Amino acid sequence: MTVDIPIRLFVTLLLLMTPALVSAADTPTLNMANTAWMLTSSVLVLFMTIPGLALFYAGLVRAKNVLSVLMQCFAITCMVSIVWVLLAYSLAFTDGGASNAWLGGTSKALMAGIGVDTLKGDIPETVFVMFQMTFAIITPALVVGAFAERMKFSAMMLFSLFWLLLVYVPICHWVWGDGWLQKMGVLDFAGGTVVHINAGVAALVAALVLGRRKGFPGTAMPPHNLAMAVTGACMLWVGWFGFNAGSALAANGTAGMTMLVTHIGAAAGSLTWMFCEWIRFGKPSVLGIVTGMVAGLGTITPASGFVGPLGALVIGISAGAVCFFATNYMKRTLNVDDSLDVFPVHGVGGMIGTTLTGVFAASALGGVGFAEGVGMGKQVMTQLTAILATLVWSGGISFLLLKVIDVMVGLRVMPEHETEGLDTVLHNESGYNL
């Protein structure tokens, strides 16, 4: 009897403590390894825009417009950063209540409730905010390539601001913020719809609304500094590891596989574009091989966390070939002046990658597999639904924004200013004093 009493007391205490133990186990705790990786990834993705994309685009335009492109990328980085903290993050990633399928709420506007110890999963929410901010920065910056050398700076700032709030934020919420596409089961690991199709479609609309540059297509408009462009492209390749592998939000096996397939996609896209160009025009170009790399990276992006090396190889080859022919068809047959080929590289690449994710995510093809009860056919249809939704929303809202801004401040510089160059006309500076 005397031995029984301590045992009963111990069992009673254990039962009383169990809820507290379960509660403690359920409480998220900071993972320092994951935090370190996400801090690194955030830096890498920001590095993609400035200096990566800025140098890539600046090298591809003519010498008289080099500063204008650098200025646009830099100004977008600053503006989006402020707007993201003020309102956009909350609209993208919080619960929007009854309208949550379409848009988040304002509960975290001005970073309300986010402090040093606030966690998102097992990383600080401040780090998650920063990581997602870098995606929001590069997406409107990509669109700059479509209207390079002819849009007013004021119009560009207004378009980028409202496009972020009315186009990027809703689609981001649909796909990553527990919106209707995420609930439907769309697979978009790092931004095939949210970033690449979204920016590509807006770029095509902008190119069509603004019209061709003066002299296009009859006047040759070669890149003024290919060395600068290649330098920027190399920075994009390195930064893209943060873009894709960072989207695992952890330093784990998924991030490792994502990094590997991202690299395979880039390499396969580069070589495929190079060989297509070599066969068609007789010589491989430096511009071609780096553009193929960007196409490969953009195309593997939505699939990167879901496919294996085999899928990455096929997706990269598809990107290099299809984006090469799409670029040439738009430029040479349709005479659409998407100045730096944003739509045929990012838009078309994003559509290829988003669709093929529904194929190569299959476990039989080396991918992670589909959700229970979902086969390849159903997954591909879900992927196509996301593509169509992005095309319609981004295309329609971008068109309306451009038309409204044209009435407000005018979209395009005057013909004589376009001839003189935007560096001098808009910024009273020159990139080169030779």
Side-chain angles (χ1 to χ4, degrees):
M1 184 71 177
T2 54
V3 177
D4 245 6
I5 293 171
I7 293 173
R8 288 178 182 174
L9 285 171
F10 175 75
V11 171
T12 303
L13 285 170
L14 189 64
L15 290 171
L16 288 170
M17 290 172 62
T18 299
L21 291 171
V22 171
S23 176
D26 288 345
T27 303
T29 56
L30 179 69
N31 185 307
M32 288 188 286
N34 292 345
T35 300
W37 168 236
M38 293 311 301
L39 286 165
T40 304
S41 295
S42 300
V43 172
L44 285 170
V45 185
L46 182 61
F47 185 72
M48 289 173 66
T49 304
I50 48 171
L53 185 71
L55 290 176
F56 181 56
Y57 276 0
L60 294 177
V61 297
R62 289 169 287 181
K64 61 186 178 181
N65 296 307
V66 57
L67 290 181
S68 71
V69 173
L70 292 169
M71 178 70 168
Q72 288 169 354
C73 290
F74 206 96
I76 286 173
T77 299
C78 298
M79 179 175 65
V80 171
S81 299
I82 301 302
V83 177
W84 189 252
V85 168
L86 292 176
L87 180 63
Y89 170 74
S90 185
L91 292 176
F93 287 101
T94 64
D95 187 351
S99 62
N100 190 59
W102 305 101
L103 194 63
T106 58
S107 60
K108 294 190 177 179
L110 291 170
M111 299 290 100
I114 300 176
V116 173
D117 299 321
T118 310
L119 297 183
K120 182 79 171 180
D122 61 4
I123 64 172
E125 188 163 8
T126 51
V127 177
F128 182 77
V129 170
M130 183 67 197
F131 181 67
Q132 290 297 337
M133 178 196 293
T134 59
F135 280 66
I137 287 169
I138 198 169
T139 309
L142 287 172
V143 185
V144 164
F147 50 69
E149 304 193 303
R150 60 198 188 277
M151 183 182 266
K152 291 180 179 178
F153 184 71
S154 57
M156 184 280 301
M157 290 291 284
L158 286 171
F159 176 74
S160 298
L161 170 63
F162 290 108
W163 191 87
L164 172 76
L165 292 171
L166 300 178
V167 180
Y168 180 84
V169 164
I171 294 177
C172 179
H173 181 76
W174 298 351
V175 177
W176 293 334
D178 200 31
W180 68 279
L181 285 175
Q182 187 172 26
K183 290 182 184 298
M184 185 183 289
V186 67
L187 300 177
D188 185 356
F189 194 74
T193 52
V194 180
V195 177
H196 295 289
I197 300 175
N198 203 3
V201 173
L204 177 60
V205 172
L208 293 173
V209 171
L210 264 79
R212 304 167 187 166
R213 284 169 292 176
K214 188 177 178 182
F216 182 92
T219 303
M221 300 179 183
H224 90 281
N225 191 331
L226 265 179
M228 180 187 290
V230 173
T231 301
C234 294
M235 293 173 178
L236 284 170
W237 192 338
V238 174
W240 223 291
F241 293 125
F243 196 88
N244 285 0
S247 293
L249 301 181
N252 57 17
T254 298
M257 179 61 81
T258 301
M259 183 173 285
L260 175 62
V261 300
T262 296
H263 190 69
I264 292 170
S270 286
L271 289 177
T272 303
W273 188 298
M274 182 191 77
F275 283 118
C276 287
E277 190 175 54
W278 201 344
I279 292 167
R280 182 161 183 183
F281 301 116
K283 293 181 181 179
S285 72
V286 174
L287 178 58
I289 197 169
V290 298
T291 306
M293 175 271 294
V294 175
L297 287 168
T299 306
I300 193 61
T301 290
S304 55
F306 304 118
V307 304
L310 171 64
L313 185 61
V314 175
I315 288 171
I317 292 170
S318 302
V322 177
C323 294
F324 169 78
F325 287 108
T327 299
N328 280 279
Y329 182 73
M330 282 190 64
K331 277 274 196 289
R332 299 169 187 271
T333 304
L334 299 180
N335 289 330
V336 174
D337 189 15
D338 178 350
S339 307
L340 308 182
D341 305 320
V342 183
F343 177 75
V345 172
H346 295 277
V348 172
M351 286 185 268
I352 296 168
T354 301
T355 304
L356 292 182
T357 301
V359 176
F360 288 99
S363 54
L365 297 173
V368 298
F370 302 117
E372 187 177 348
V374 177
M376 185 184 293
K378 184 176 180 181
Q379 188 63 57
V380 169
M381 289 306 299
T382 300
Q383 301 300 103
L384 293 174
T385 300
I387 292 171
L388 180 61
T390 307
L391 288 171
V392 171
W393 187 262
S394 181
I397 302 300
S398 297
F399 178 80
L400 291 174
L401 279 175
L402 288 164
K403 288 296 185 181
V404 170
I405 293 168
D406 194 22
V407 172
M408 291 171 60
V409 299
L411 288 174
R412 188 162 178 160
V413 298
M414 291 184 287
E416 57 270 28
H417 290 169
E418 189 176 335
T419 300
E420 187 176 350
L422 303 190
D423 290 358
T424 303
V425 170
L426 298 182
H427 307 295
N428 198 31
E429 295 172 300
S430 175
Y432 303 98
N433 295 305
L434 301 177

